[in-house]
Amino acid sequence: MDHREETDIEIEGGVGIGIGIEDDKEFKELAKQPLLVKSRKNTTSQIAIVGANTCPIESLDYEIVENELFKQDWRSRKKVEIFQYVVLKWTFALLIGLSTGVAGILNNLGVENIAGFKLLLTNNLMLKNKYYQAFLALAGCNMVLAMMAAALCAYIAPAAAGSGIPEVKAYLNGVDAPSILAPATLFVKIFGAILGVAAGFVVGKEGPMVHTGACIANFLGQGGSRKYHLTWQWLRYFKNDRDRRDLVTCGAAAGVAAAFRAPVGGVLFALEEVTSWWRSALLWRTFFTTAVVAVILRGCIEFCKTGQCGLFGEGGLIMFDVNSAKAAYNTPDLIAVIFLGVIGGILGSFYNFCIDKVLRVYSIINGKGPMFKILLVMIISCLTSCCSFGVPWLSTCIPCSSDLGEQCPTAGRSGNYKNFQCPPNHYNDLASLFFNTNDDAIRNLLSAGTEKQFLLSSLLIFFVAIYFLGIITYGIAIPSGLFIPVILAGSSYGRLVGTLLGPVSDLDVGLFALLGAAAFLGGTMRMTVSLCVILLELTNNLLMLPLMMLVLLISKTVADCFNQGVYDQIVKMKGLPYLEAHAEPYMRHLVAGDVVSGPLMTFSGIEKVGNIVHILKLTGHNGFPVIDEPPYTNAPELCGLVLRSHLLVLLKGKKFTKQRLMTGSMIMNTFRANDFAKTGSGKGVKLEDLDINDEEMEMYVDLHPITNTSPFTVVETMSLAKAAVLFRELGLRHLCVVPKTPGRPPVVGILTRHDFMPEHILGLYPHIEHHK
């Protein structure tokens, strides 16, 4: 029996097919590839998996619509209004930095205190030799926290699951997937991340913090809210996608700064990884935002040093300071670093491969409903608890050395030397890694001057366990970042290599652990400059810069031979129509006219109301060419492009005439540019809101005042590769294709994001696939 349901969905370029997934086999096929339907007619578009839900995808209007209303608005703006606009940009940058910094502090203190209570409870039972009760306490706390995080994701905001960086990256590329930056997603991202990390999962808070910063920025950039009476006149300036995009960029950078206490790294992360467009003015505002975050975090650190931040006095805000180790190296050390980079690239690419396979399986399970999402989280939580409690029993007890600089064994608080089941004056090195928060485990691995703290066998066991726990944990229905699992696995791998090479190397094992983390990050994330700066700011060790650069370049180069970066893979797997910075080779064999799809819907400059309503009902197109015809012009010519959203606002205003006359002045006096501005999420005029009677259907409306008279156009003979690069670099939603020869209609078709997707192009011309 066929369980598919077909529904009409408003999408970019036409009417799409909504797929209600109830059959496992169908879901499995959908999960294997981006959900693109190949058709010669451009009547379909992308339907992506976001939070294991299918949703329609549209593009964002980053292009400025220069119609007569827009020009009138700019001409009428006074100097004081322009000054207000500039001040508001910087004010919002300040607010984003403050809010994201506070969210970062809340996350750190929440995780440290919840996890601290859980670990202290378990530790006290271990000291009384109540091992079964200790395991039940640990597993029970983890399970409750995990179920709470999963319930938030499953029932309130499914889009909050996972890292969030792929979705933010797609948004800044021009992809508008519903709910990814909604207020509900922000709420679940903050509290779900606290619960998920405190539950002992091998996940980090860094990805969720980037998503949190982007959600905060998007919320502030809504341009006011009538529901909450926030209709301050100045806020109208931000009712457009372009300014919201800039704010979201600042928010993403602020998220990295809050997670790693790395303001410069945050700016570079936004520049290198998540944004598709950049300019110098945005650089200044982003840097200002991350500087505000750094100041907020520094103030909290000073406060927490007084011991008033809960169980762990410094609140987890002191990063991994390894500057006590001297970075003196020679030729054998350079060979070791090259080896680290090569193996790190291979392990990182395999990590990405495994995550891709696991995510495809999890999407099938998560697609069955909220209860299955929670059940999967419970299974992974139980497995993680068993691993955290059970694996340390494989280690032998190590006697405490008398020359240690800190208490051994550690009792009651975080530290390097956990007693676990060992007799007095002994510690369990595996417990020092497993029986800690992820941040503390990284501190232990990166600590300098501790060559004999961890046994080789313990490091190998921990690396294998964390490597595979990180793979199977990412993709469950909780907010989860990839940075911390990768740093954990990479630092344990680096310390393992450093311990093996101890007799022939001058580098400290802590520095080897840092380089191992860099190699692994380079192999998975495929970033270089931003990762290098983040790790240097994170560890406060500038002397490692040359070696860090070397290991990152090597690991990225090696990993690129096998697959894409992890975030690029996830974007592709979710079916988000992401436009790459470069064109595919096979695009050079096609021209723009080869991929334009029909039927092309156009309007006259003065159009009958009934025709507009009919076409809006018939198609889901979001942009329509406007053609001026005789007697208003000597021959048909392209007047410009009109947006669907603008047509709906104009029709609702009902400024119609019985005769076919140019009434632009009347419309200009009735409407303001602000009436056609981008509204908040889901609050625009919809086709169902129109109430037009039969008499009005026969009347006419002048489209000239709302038509963008300077749309971007390309000639039909331009190579598709050149058109694709132009489309992305300008941040377009529509690109008009005009004829090469005279005597033909003034526009051949419109290129949208869908027309540049490989699946669409190769569906039309499968014979060119060998050029791919």
Side-chain angles (χ1 to χ4, degrees):
M1 181 179 176
D2 191 355
H3 294 285
R4 286 179 298 179
E5 304 168 1
E6 292 190 359
T7 57
D8 289 343
I9 296 177
E10 259 185 36
I11 45 183
E12 178 68 69
V15 177
I17 300 176
I19 304 176
I21 302 173
E22 298 177 9
D23 189 5
D24 291 350
K25 187 175 180 181
E26 290 176 7
F27 200 113
K28 194 176 295 185
E29 289 301 315
L30 290 171
K32 285 182 181 177
Q33 55 187 338
L35 305 181
L36 299 171
V37 185
K38 299 171 184 174
S39 170
R40 182 64 183 96
K41 264 186 155 184
N42 192 4
T43 55
T44 61
S45 188
Q46 289 70 30
I47 301 173
I49 299 176
V50 176
N53 287 342
T54 54
C55 65
I57 295 296
E58 290 190 4
S59 291
L60 292 161
D61 295 300
Y62 287 154
E63 181 189 356
I64 293 177
V65 178
E66 293 185 352
N67 54 32
E68 291 302 320
L69 283 165
F70 171 83
K71 293 173 184 176
Q72 182 188 58
D73 180 59
W74 270 104
R75 284 194 298 265
S76 63
R77 283 192 185 180
K78 302 174 183 177
K79 287 186 178 180
V80 66
E81 291 180 304
I82 297 172
F83 179 73
Q84 289 171 359
Y85 175 59
V86 175
V87 168
L88 265 182
K89 280 187 174 183
W90 288 95
T91 303
F92 277 166
L94 173 65
L95 291 174
I96 292 167
L98 290 172
S99 304
T100 309
V102 170
I105 291 168
L106 178 66
N107 190 302
N108 276 284
L109 297 184
V111 169
E112 292 290 325
N113 284 282
I114 295 172
F117 171 80
K118 174 189 71 177
L119 293 172
L120 280 177
L121 175 63
T122 309
N123 188 59
N124 290 336
L125 291 170
M126 292 288 291
L127 291 174
K128 297 175 183 177
N129 296 328
K130 296 180 179 180
Y131 300 129
Y132 292 110
Q133 292 93 323
F135 172 71
L136 291 175
L138 179 69
C141 289
N142 285 346
M143 186 67 72
V144 170
L145 293 169
M147 289 174 64
M148 290 169 65
L152 286 174
C153 275
Y155 290 105
I156 298 179
S163 167
I165 291 178
E167 287 84 355
V168 174
K169 184 175 180 177
Y171 178 89
L172 293 175
N173 188 259
V175 177
D176 185 19
S179 302
I180 60 173
L181 298 177
T185 305
L186 171 62
F187 172 80
V188 173
K189 208 73 182 185
I190 292 174
F191 293 100
I194 293 173
L195 294 169
V197 176
F201 287 115
V202 185
V203 297
K205 60 181 180 293
E206 287 70 25
M209 277 306 306
V210 173
H211 198 175
T212 297
C215 288
I216 290 171
N218 184 69
F219 178 74
L220 290 173
Q222 289 297 306
S225 168
R226 292 181 181 177
K227 180 179 179 182
Y228 299 107
H229 305 289
L230 298 174
T231 53
W232 192 24
Q233 188 71 6
W234 287 8
L235 293 175
R236 74 183 188 276
Y237 298 134
F238 289 88
K239 287 181 175 289
N240 64 82
D241 284 331
R242 175 172 290 224
D243 282 322
R244 288 180 192 169
R245 175 192 69 194
D246 291 350
L247 291 176
V248 169
T249 301
C250 292
V256 175
F260 290 114
R261 211 187 74 202
V264 179
V267 175
L268 292 174
F269 177 84
L271 171 61
E272 183 178 6
E273 180 62 16
V274 296
T275 59
S276 296
W277 301 280
W278 195 267
R279 61 182 188 277
S280 58
L282 184 58
L283 177 68
W284 279 101
R285 282 203 302 280
T286 307
F287 186 69
F288 172 69
T289 306
T290 57
V292 171
V293 174
V295 171
I296 295 293
L297 291 180
R298 174 56 63 184
C300 184
I301 289 170
E302 294 302 321
F303 175 76
C304 286
K305 284 182 179 178
T306 63
Q308 300 182 52
C309 289
L311 291 171
F312 289 175
E314 294 175 348
L317 291 165
I318 301 295
M319 289 293 118
F320 319 122
D321 194 339
V322 295
N323 62 354
S324 57
K326 294 181 180 179
Y329 45 88
N330 50 35
T331 303
D333 294 327
L334 290 176
I335 296 172
V337 168
I338 293 171
F339 173 78
L340 269 178
V342 172
I343 302 301
I346 294 171
L347 290 173
S349 60
F350 183 68
Y351 194 87
N352 292 359
F353 172 81
C354 293
I355 278 186
D356 185 71
K357 300 302 178 186
V358 168
L359 283 176
R360 295 182 188 280
V361 174
Y362 283 179
S363 66
I364 300 169
I365 300 171
N366 291 336
K368 293 179 177 292
M371 288 306 300
F372 284 88
K373 293 181 182 180
I374 296 174
L375 181 62
L376 179 60
V377 171
M378 292 169 64
I379 292 171
I380 301 299
S381 175
C382 185
L383 180 61
T384 303
S385 298
C386 291
C387 189
S388 299
F389 192 87
V391 171
W393 291 88
L394 299 175
S395 178
T396 57
C397 292
I398 304 173
C400 292
S401 175
S402 57
D403 58 350
L404 291 176
E406 58 181 287
Q407 181 183 355
C408 179
T410 303
R413 289 184 179 270
S414 61
N416 288 11
Y417 305 98
K418 294 289 184 182
N419 182 256
F420 203 63
Q421 90 293 3
C422 294
N425 295 321
H426 288 70
Y427 71 95
N428 185 315
D429 59 343
L430 266 179
S432 300
L433 299 174
F434 276 110
F435 235 59
N436 257 325
T437 61
N438 293 334
D439 285 355
D440 280 325
I442 294 173
R443 284 190 191 91
N444 294 345
L445 288 166
L446 297 182
S447 57
T450 55
E451 287 80 2
K452 298 180 181 179
Q453 180 183 345
F454 299 102
L455 299 175
L456 273 174
S457 57
S458 298
L459 289 171
L460 180 61
I461 292 170
F462 181 75
F463 168 70
V464 173
I466 289 298
Y467 191 91
F468 289 103
L469 277 177
I471 289 170
I472 65 171
T473 304
Y474 190 80
I476 60 176
I478 62 168
S480 51
L482 277 169
F483 271 96
I484 289 298
V486 171
I487 291 175
L488 265 175
S491 54
S492 57
Y493 146 72
R495 193 176 181 101
L496 177 65
V497 173
T499 305
L500 286 170
L501 298 178
V504 296
S505 175
D506 294 332
L507 284 178
D508 186 89
V509 288
L511 298 181
F512 264 108
L514 176 59
L515 292 172
F520 216 75
L521 282 167
T524 53
M525 311 293 180
R526 311 296 162 81
M527 293 180 281
T528 51
V529 180
S530 56
L531 273 181
C532 185
V533 174
I534 286 172
L535 287 172
L536 292 175
E537 289 186 282
L538 197 62
T539 56
N540 195 20
N541 195 338
L542 193 59
L543 295 175
M544 291 297 291
L545 178 61
L547 294 183
M548 195 84 72
M549 294 170 66
L550 178 64
V551 78
L552 280 168
L553 286 170
I554 292 173
S555 61
K556 181 187 185 303
T557 303
V558 171
D560 281 339
C561 297
F562 299 99
N563 50 30
Q564 291 179 300
V566 65
Y567 296 131
D568 293 319
Q569 284 190 176
I570 295 170
V571 165
K572 186 176 181 180
M573 190 210 71
K574 289 193 172 187
L576 296 167
Y578 185 87
L579 289 174
E580 298 290 347
H582 60 277
E584 297 291 344
Y586 57 81
M587 290 185 179
R588 299 191 188 98
H589 300 270
L590 298 171
V591 295
D594 290 334
V595 296
V596 290
S597 310
L600 178 66
M601 301 293 182
T602 64
F603 292 126
S604 298
I606 302 171
E607 186 61 81
K608 184 182 284 188
V609 173
N611 290 345
I612 298 175
V613 174
H614 175 69
I615 290 177
L616 291 180
K617 286 181 179 178
L618 184 67
T619 72
H621 290 51
N622 285 288
F624 301 90
V626 176
I627 309 296
D628 274 335
E629 299 172 328
Y632 302 103
T633 57
N634 295 328
E637 63 181 39
L638 178 63
C639 173
L641 196 75
V642 65
L643 296 182
R644 182 188 191 91
S645 58
H646 292 184
L647 285 170
L648 291 170
V649 173
L650 184 64
L651 291 176
K652 191 166 184 176
K654 294 191 175 183
K655 295 300 175 184
F656 309 144
T657 58
K658 291 186 178 180
Q659 304 298 322
R660 194 171 185 182
L661 302 171
M662 296 188 72
T663 57
S665 58
M666 179 182 70
I667 292 174
M668 297 278 285
N669 293 330
T670 305
F671 291 99
R672 296 176 303 164
N674 189 42
D675 297 325
F676 296 88
K678 182 90 173 194
T679 56
S681 303
K683 296 182 177 63
V685 179
K686 295 182 174 58
L687 192 59
E688 307 85 64
D689 300 332
L690 300 181
D691 183 21
I692 301 176
N693 57 40
D694 292 340
E695 182 182 353
E696 291 169 331
M697 285 287 191
E698 298 300 319
M699 300 175 75
Y700 293 88
V701 62
D702 188 357
L703 301 183
H704 290 97
I706 64 167
T707 300
N708 181 6
T709 55
S710 55
F712 285 95
T713 61
V714 296
V715 69
E716 61 183 337
T717 53
M718 176 184 282
S719 76
L720 189 61
K722 191 174 180 179
V725 173
L726 178 72
F727 191 92
R728 185 187 191 272
E729 289 185 349
L730 293 175
L732 302 182
R733 185 175 187 176
H734 306 100
L735 183 61
C736 295
V737 180
V738 296
K740 175 75 170 176
T741 54
R744 296 167 57 191
V747 60
V748 174
I750 294 181
L751 291 174
T752 63
R753 179 175 296 267
H754 167 67
D755 297 304
F756 295 105
M757 290 296 105
E759 292 80 2
H760 173 68
I761 298 169
L762 296 176
L764 300 179
Y765 303 100
H767 64 279
I768 66 169
E769 191 162 8
H770 66 277
H771 296 295
K772 190 175 178 179

